Amino acid sequence: MNIRDRAAELATLRATGWTDAALGRLIGYEGLLLGVLGAFGGAGLGLGGAAWLVGELPSALVSVAATVAAAGVLATCLAAIVPAALLRHLPTARLLAEE
């Protein structure tokens, strides 16, 4: 959805000399950053809530939260691969003409 909404911006970057590989890295890094912020932020808030309710954090809960956060980052990175691979199919000239 993000790629479709920003298609004109990405077409402008391509027209100014960005390669498909550079645009793919941009999308991949954005996915990685969103995954890290979301997964570890959510795990931290969840652990904070559990500590507030229970009063202490068992080490097993911390390790499970870290594992789930890492899996969330991996899932986000894998989900960013498909749009990054489809960037070369963006019609640059048509998008720039419409913009």
Side-chain angles (χ1 to χ4, degrees), residues 77-99:
C77 289
L78 290 175
I81 289 175
V82 173
L86 295 176
L87 280 174
R88 69 181 76 137
H89 298 295
L90 286 177
T92 304
R94 184 178 60 90
L95 288 169
L96 291 175
E98 289 174 359
E99 191 64 26

Side-chain angles (χ1 to χ4, degrees), residues 10-97:
L10 296 171
T12 302
L13 290 175
R14 180 181 287 154
T16 59
W18 283 50
T19 64
D20 287 338
L23 289 172
R25 282 192 305 273
L26 174 70
I27 300 302
Y29 289 145
E30 286 178 358
L32 175 66
L33 179 65
L34 288 173
V36 166
L37 290 175
F40 286 103
L45 287 174
L47 288 173
W52 179 67
L53 290 172
V54 177
E56 64 182 62
L57 285 177
S59 62
L61 184 60
V62 174
S63 64
V64 167
T67 303
V68 169
V73 171
L74 179 63
T76 305
C77 289
L78 290 175
I81 289 175
V82 173
L86 295 176
L87 280 174
R88 69 181 76 137
H89 298 295
L90 286 177
T92 304
R94 184 178 60 90
L95 288 169
L96 291 175

